[in-house]
Structure formats: structure tokens, C-alpha cells
Amino acid sequence: MDVMLLGTGAADGWPNPFCGCASCQDAARRGDIRGQTAALIDDVLMLDCGPEAPRAAVRFGRTLADVRHILLTHAHTDHLGAQALLFRSWVDVGHVVEVVGPADALDACRPWAGPDDPVRFVPVQAGDTLTVGGYAVRVLPARHQVFREGDAVLYDLTGPDGSRILWACDTGPLPPEWFDAVRDARFDAVFLEETFGDRSDLGSGHHGLPEFFDTVSALRGCGAATETTEVVAVHLGHHNPPITRLRERLRECGARPGTDGEVVRVGDKAEQAHRTLVLGGVRSGKSRHAEELLASYRAVTYVATGGTRAGDAEWAQRVALHRERRPESWSTVETSDVSAVLRAATDPLLIDCLGTWLTARMDLHDVWNGGDMGAVDADITELLDAWQRCPVPVVAVSNEVGSGVVPGSASGRLFRDTLGRLNASVAAVSETVTLVVAGIPLTLR
């Protein structure tokens, strides 16, 4: 399954647009604006459809034209923007859409669908099982309600390829007997809400961090989650600590926060590793941002392409600072043979950076003294092939050199031009491309 997160925020998103707390200020400064939680599965099935979800899909380069099924968890308006059915009725897409959910949620939808609209409503309650297109669906109880007990549900979803996910949003802490229904499920991915952060006093209908940890532990204890299950926190709100700290906290239980627009691939599609290119100028914060992207993984291989520089104290200090802020569980490899590392990787990779890698390859082939530039081009081709075939998540950092002054030497201009072409080539075969400017990450793709 291909799970695109259309949003990962709570009802008020994150940051709350009316709030000036430290957590909201941090998110706004980063440009990390999270919409209301929803997901798009294989471009044909939606999990919840709040008012922000349809526009988010377009913003992330997807269309909802092929959506045939919408699974609603409950009738709260951040999960149910029923006006989307009206917008859909204005376009002839040539097929019926099934809207599945608790009866109260469907009742909220009915006024938005005309008698002749190609919409079919399928009421469900906890304990039901059904087939939706090529997906097997089990409806699970949620500890959450809108009007009455039982009017909110969770979904256990198995795809056509046999991959299986748990969509657990919204719910508070679940009773021990709930876990019997998912015993030995061995989910490929769990999307679990985590709304209240350290505020456990705000109600029982959502998870805070302590409750999230307990639920993840219970899922692992009953075999619903295993060592290979990807546990993703969604429905995140501003009661949480700033995102860098939240990543550290969630890593304690083997989980990570979701990100708006990310694609989580499970089952057969899990083999398609996600490739991210992070660009930025000198001291822009690009390396720190790249490290944050992988902060939820316990084991990461940091590929340092700059090597060592004997007698250069300033360079040694830079390297030491980088090492100090990386988790102790990460390992470091110093090499310019990045292609070999990409092909052999078993843990996620962080490559820092392509600029120093290119310098090393140009040095190797003595380009500065009239050596073989063709050999460098061959190295780039090999790198691109290995990048595309890499079997694990990988993030590469590179210098953005297109905005600087024209170098005063022929060798400088050759390096700038070659790195510019390398960046463009890597970007073309990456799922995500981010430009970091003054510490602020800007999503290009």
C-alpha cells in the first residue's frame, strides 16, 4: 500500500493559528504547518476527509479523481468535510464513490449528495467486517465519541497485496480487551493519534505522550506491532513539545511523527525506499534539517564524504560539532565511495554532502590538472543508479551553488557547473526535495 498523509495535525492543526505558545512559534518559524489528519491510500481510498484534505491532495501533487472509497472514523468536522461530496458532484468522474462510516457520520453527509449523485452510503459499526474494492476492512471500536457512545470507530485495513495497517485516529487510551481483536495482527504500519503531548488532564478521548507509549507497548505485547512495524504518530497538536524534541521522545518507543505530504509505503511498496535531497547554502541549517528527518530511526549510517584533513583544526572542530549532535546509536562511515554504500545499505543513510563527494571524485581523477572529466561523469552516472536502487530510506545533503557569484577561476566555474547538474539530476530521481534557507526548510517537491 501507498499511504500519503494528507495531514498530520489535530483539529486545530499545528500550529494553532490563534496561538503564540513556544510550540506553535517553533512550528511557524520552521514553516512546518500541519493540516487536519487524513490519508490517501493508493490514490483510490481515503481515510477521513476533513475540510482541508481535498486541497492538500492537490497541493501534494495528487488527484482525487480516482477515489472510489472514503472511510470515515466519526463526524467531528476535522475528519468530515461533507461539502467535498458536493464539489465532486460538479465533475463527472465516471464511477460511484462509497462512503463508509458510522451512521451519524453518514447522516451528516447525506444533505451534500443529490438523489442522482453517484454516491453509495455504507453504515458500519465496531465489529463489522467488509470488503471495500480490493481492501479487507475490519471496524474496531474507538474510545471517542461525537454524540453518543459507539459513534466513532477505527480501521484495520488489509490491501490487495496483503499489507496491513491500523488507522487509530481519533481515540483515547484503549481498554485491555480491545487488544484481543488485533492480537498477532503484525501490522506493517500503525497510524496512532497523539494529540495532547504532556497534558494528560485534557480528557480521555485522545492520547498524550504517556498514553501513546502505553498503547504502543500494548500493541507490541499482543503481537499487533513487531520490530518491523512502522509506528507513526498523527493528529499532533500544540500541546506537544517542539518537533525536534517530539521526535526524540517518540523514538523512545520506536515511533516517529508523521509529516504532511509524506508517503509511507508498506507491503510490496515498502521496498521502494524514499529518497530525499536537502539543498542549502553555507550555514543554512541544511545538515541539521537532514539529521532531523532521520531522527526517529535508532540506527542510521552517517556517510561523511569530506574525510579527514590532517592539521586543519577548524575542520576538525566542524566535524566534532556534527558528531556531538547525532544520536550515539548512529554509526559513521567516512568515504567517497558513496555508490557502494548506497547499494549495500541495510540501515537508513544520511549522506553529507554531495559537494564534498564531487570534490573528492574530481581530486581522484586529477581534473584540476587536466585529468579525465569523463571519469567524473561516469562516477555521477554510477551514483545516480545506486541512488535509485538504494533499498533503504536515504537523505543526501548538497550545496546550492546557483545563487552565488560567478567563480573567478576556470576550476571554480567547472565545479559550480558540475555540482549544479549533479543536484538537478539527483533531484529528478528523488521523492522529496527541500531547500533550506536561513534555517527554514522549503519543500520543492
Side-chain angles (χ1 to χ4, degrees):
M1 274 189 282
D2 185 331
V3 184
M4 168 170 271
L5 294 177
L6 300 177
T8 58
D12 53 348
W14 187 18
N16 179 310
F18 299 95
C19 183
C21 73
S23 180
C24 286
Q25 289 183 12
D26 177 77
R29 180 185 63 80
R30 293 169 174 270
D32 189 4
I33 314 301
R34 295 168 187 267
Q36 297 158 345
T37 294
L40 177 63
I41 311 294
D42 296 332
D43 291 332
V44 299
L45 184 150
M46 292 186 72
L47 289 167
D48 284 325
C49 182
E52 297 175 345
R55 191 63 56 191
V58 176
R59 189 164 57 249
F60 297 135
R62 298 296 179 98
T63 174
L64 301 184
D66 295 323
V67 168
R68 287 167 164 76
H69 322 284
I70 302 175
L71 273 57
L72 301 172
T73 55
H74 60 292
H76 277 145
T77 53
D78 58 314
H79 294 260
L80 173 56
Q83 65 271 25
L85 295 176
L86 175 63
F87 305 154
R88 183 182 183 275
S89 72
W90 297 342
V91 180
D92 181 9
V93 294
H95 59 260
V96 172
V97 63
E98 285 185 318
V99 182
V100 179
D104 288 335
L106 300 189
D107 287 345
C109 293
R110 296 182 197 278
W112 294 93
D116 299 322
D117 288 352
V119 177
R120 184 165 76 94
F121 294 108
V122 182
V124 296
Q125 60 185 353
D128 288 348
T129 60
L130 64 158
T131 299
V132 178
Y135 301 83
V137 180
R138 291 202 313 151
V139 187
L140 303 173
R143 191 180 176 191
H144 194 80
Q145 69 178 56
V146 185
F147 306 110
R148 59 186 62 84
E149 186 176 352
D151 65 359
V153 299
L154 312 176
Y155 290 109
D156 171 355
L157 186 69
T158 302
D161 62 353
S163 58
R164 190 174 181 183
I165 68 170
L166 173 64
W167 184 255
C169 183
D170 290 354
T171 183
L174 296 157
E177 60 270 19
W178 184 93
F179 296 92
D180 292 335
V182 295
R183 186 171 300 280
D184 297 322
R186 302 181 66 84
F187 290 111
D188 293 286
V190 170
F191 300 90
L192 178 62
E193 73 118 87
E194 194 285 288
T195 309
F196 288 154
D198 289 311
R199 294 292 302 275
S200 296
D201 59 328
L202 297 176
S204 60
H206 293 287
H207 283 77
L209 281 165
E211 297 78 22
F212 183 93
F213 291 172
D214 289 344
T215 297
V216 171
S217 177
L219 288 169
R220 298 193 191 282
C222 72
T226 69
E227 291 183 356
T228 61
T229 301
E230 189 160 11
V231 181
V232 182
V234 294
H235 209 264
L236 302 167
H238 70 131
H239 296 297
N240 279 286
I243 190 64
T244 300
R245 177 58 179 151
L246 178 60
R247 287 194 182 100
E248 296 172 353
R249 297 282 298 278
L250 290 174
R251 190 169 61 238
E252 295 172 11
C253 69
R256 66 174 181 82
T259 303
D260 288 25
E262 77 163 293
V263 177
V264 180
R265 293 183 169 92
V266 297
D268 292 342
K269 293 190 176 183
E271 298 178 1
Q272 303 174 21
H274 194 92
R275 294 164 288 267
T276 301
L277 175 63
V278 178
L279 299 166
V282 175
R283 294 297 191 185
S284 63
K286 60 186 184 296
S287 293
R288 184 179 293 275
H289 177 68
E291 291 164 6
E292 291 175 355
L293 291 177
L294 293 171
S296 60
Y297 294 98
R298 177 169 179 78
V300 173
T301 300
Y302 184 97
V303 185
T305 64
T308 58
R309 301 183 184 181
D312 191 332
E314 189 271 339
W315 179 260
Q317 184 179 21
R318 284 174 178 258
V319 171
L321 289 173
H322 275 247
R323 284 181 180 272
E324 287 174 4
R325 70 177 185 229
R326 297 197 295 266
E328 293 182 359
S329 59
W330 289 20
S331 60
T332 300
V333 174
E334 294 182 351
T335 182
S336 68
D337 192 0
V338 173
S339 297
V341 176
L342 286 166
R343 296 186 189 281
T346 56
D347 292 324
L349 297 177
L350 196 164
I351 300 168
D352 194 358
C353 74
L354 295 183
T356 50
W357 173 83
L358 180 61
T359 300
R361 303 317 285 182
M362 295 177 86
D363 285 345
L364 177 66
H365 299 298
D366 201 26
V367 168
W368 318 117
N369 298 310
D372 187 3
M373 190 62 195
V376 175
D377 293 336
D379 287 344
I380 292 174
T381 299
E382 172 69 12
L383 176 75
L384 291 171
D385 182 72
W387 177 259
Q388 294 178 81
R389 296 174 184 271
C390 182
V392 298
V394 56
V395 177
V397 177
S398 190
N399 303 101
E400 173 49 55
V401 292
S403 301
V405 298
V406 177
S409 65
S411 59
R413 291 189 292 273
L414 175 62
F415 175 79
R416 178 202 61 178
D417 293 349
T418 306
L419 182 57
R421 288 193 297 270
L422 172 62
N423 288 343
S425 298
V426 173
V429 291
S430 299
E431 285 77 25
T432 301
V433 183
T434 301
L435 174 66
V436 181
V437 181
I440 300 172
L442 306 173
T443 300
L444 305 182
R445 175 183 301 147

